[in-house]
Every structure is written in structure tokens, then in C-alpha cells.
Amino acid sequence: MIGHIANFSAGPSTLPASVMEEARDQLVDYRGTGMSLIEMSHRGPYYTEVHTETTSLAREVFDTPDDFEVLFIQGGATLQFSMVPMNLLGDGQPAGYVISGSWAKKAFSDARIYGKAYKAWDGAAEGFRRMPRSEDLQLQPGSRYLHVTSNETIGGIQMFAWPDVGVPLVADMSSDFMSRSIPWNLFDLVYGGAQKNLGPPGVTIVFVQRSVLETTNRDLGAYLRYDVHADEDSLYNTPPVFSIWMVGKVLKWVVARGGVAAMEAAAHTKSEVLYGAIAASDDFYRSPVEPESRSLMNVVFHLPTEDLEAEFIAAATDAGLVGLKGHRSVGGCRASLYNAMPLDGVEALVRFMARFKADRG
Ligand SMILES: *Cc1c(COP(=O)(O)O)cnc(C)c1O
């Protein structure tokens, strides 16, 4: 936390204060060169070192097997909604999509433009209140992959059991990246934008299995080809140097704090504190999500009326608890508890919630 602010924004989101301070100190005069890193050639020695180090830190932190490539791509997770089907789907080849909420819907709608994407499950009728179980999924024969969204940032639901359906998984992990370990053997490709848990906006990390690259489409503009990014070590064109530099700093911060296992343990602790406060509030605060799918990253909750919600958000902001407004498409409140949110911030929120309920409940 910086000053007295606890930032619960869903993305871009809070970053470790020590990372921000270090970046501030290094921004203008990078290592005595009289220039900023963001003013130098991305082919020069200073940036090359940052690029190489960030790549190897990403491998280390995510425990990435050798047969996966790590790519840094611009365009957000949103560009991956197109790149995945463009690269992976052959003519007429089907791919299943788990429709678990707003982000999955966007991934699906782009995939349909490029290939035979179909819905393997749709949670819309239930109001996107849970993730599916493996037995809920309906796969078409010959499916190239099953696309899942591990954490629906807007609806506040998270996939805790990966589908086990005999088809390689492709996952959008934007909002729970680096808060849980990845069982790599299930995946052909994993992607996530940096601005939730990894750094500032501007870069998306893609992990893709090397064997997949042998069969990806070549009939695409260079920037759209995973094999080109892999062959060029994500330096086919000018990379987002500032974002990658910052991601490197966040990765070091995670290593120093015990890695992904420590982030995962902290995510459980923090979310239990908040869900516990919601459960103990006699329905003044309510979670719309089924207990088994409640996200550890984005805790969505409602108050008895929309007026009270607006009052709650305004009063919380005055108290230094910011970014609690739910997404405009679903309303309510949302507290995002990414890795850089300290337990102190969550405890301050819970104390505020108790005071607000005592006043207005
Ligand atoms: C934020 C988010 C996206 C979109 O990311 P952009 O970087 O804005 O393209 C996609 N999927 C999920 C799960 C997200 O949380």
C-alpha cells in the first residue's frame, strides 16, 4: 500500500510499493547512463539484459517446463482471443469454449470468426454463478482444444478443478496468473495480460508448448504468428520495454516472498477473511457466487439496495479503500485481492464493512 490507500481495482491494479519505488528511482537515469531504459535501443546491452532476465524469471516463477516457450506480446489478452484460433485451428477443425462469463464470451465471439468454435458449456442461464465440472462439458469429436477462463474477473468465479476431458486446454489466466501453480501437462497454451497480477498494462505473457508451434498457421501477418515470436525471442519488433522491465521487478518481488506457493497461500488467507466477513454479516453483504466457485482474486458482493452500494463505495473511497465499484455490466461491489494487496488492506476493508453495517444495517 502507498500512503493510506488500499487499491482494490480489478485491472490495472495495485503493484507492490517497493517495486514502484525502485522503478521511480531508476526511471530517469538508468544505471548511470544518463538515459532512461525506455529511451534506449531494445537491441542494446541494457535492455537485452532486462529482456533475458525477465524471460528466465518467468520460467522460474511459473515452473515452466523446457518444452514451453515464453512469449511477450502486445495487444492484451484481447488479441489472444484472435491469435489462439488463428494459429491453432486448421480448416474446419472444432474448438470448444467454456462460456463462464464476460471474458469467455469475448474469447468465443472472436474465435468464431476464425474457426469452428462451439460452446462446450454455457453458464448464462444460471447467471454465471459457477464454473462447470468436467461432466458438464460437451465436447465435439476432433476438438483441437478446450478454451477456459480460469478466473472470470467481472463475475468473480474461479475454476479450481481443471477440466479433464482428453483435449488439450488453452487458458486465459489473466486475472489469476501467478497466484496458483499450473499443471502444465494439461495445457497447449496459457496466456494472461500483465495488468492484474504481473505488472503494468502493455504486455501479455503467452506460454505455448513448442510442439504446437510446428503446426500453427504460417499464413498470417508476422506479428500474429506465435512461431515468429518464438523464433525471435519476442524481439521480432520493438517490445513493450517498460512493461517487461516492470514485470521483471514484480517477478523478483514474488521470488523474494516465496514464489507462487506463497502467493497461493496468501490468496487463500486474504479471500477467507473477506468471504468470512460477508458470511457473518446476516445477509447485509451477499455473494452472488456459488461457494465452490468463489474467486480468490475478485470478490464480488452486494448490499441490500443499489443506493446503499453507492453510499458504501463513496464512504469507502473517503476512507482510502478505493476501486470497490463492481463492473458496470453487473453492478454491486468488487474487491480485487491480487498478489500485491497486503492482508492489512483486506483487514482494513473488513473493519470498514463492519462499521458501515453498524451505521446503516
Ligand atoms: C482483463 C482481462 C482480459 C482483457 O485484457 P486486456 O489486456 O484488456 O485485453 C481478458 N481476460 C480476462 C480474464 C481479464 O481479466
Side-chain angles (χ1 to χ4, degrees), residues 75-79 81 103 149 151-153 172-175 191 193 195-196 204 338:
T78 302
L79 180 60
F81 297 165
W103 291 115
T149 307
N151 185 69
E152 284 283 357
T153 323
D172 174 1
M173 292 196 189
S174 294
S175 53
Y191 62 92
Q195 74 272 24
K196 312 288 165 50
T204 299
Y338 297 124

Side-chain angles (χ1 to χ4, degrees), residues 48 85 98 106 143 149 166 198 235 282-283 301 306 342-343:
T48 299
V98 172
K106 288 189 170 157
S143 293
T149 307
L198 275 168
L235 285 161
D282 291 327
D283 266 3
F301 57 95
E306 282 182 27
L343 180 59

Side-chain angles (χ1 to χ4, degrees), residues 249-283:
K249 292 185 185 304
V250 174
L251 289 166
K252 276 186 227 167
W253 178 85
V254 168
V255 170
R257 297 178 56 110
V260 168
M263 298 299 119
E264 185 162 13
H268 280 279
T269 306
K270 289 184 285 181
S271 59
E272 276 160 24
V273 167
L274 184 46
Y275 284 120
I278 291 169
S281 75
D282 291 327
D283 266 3

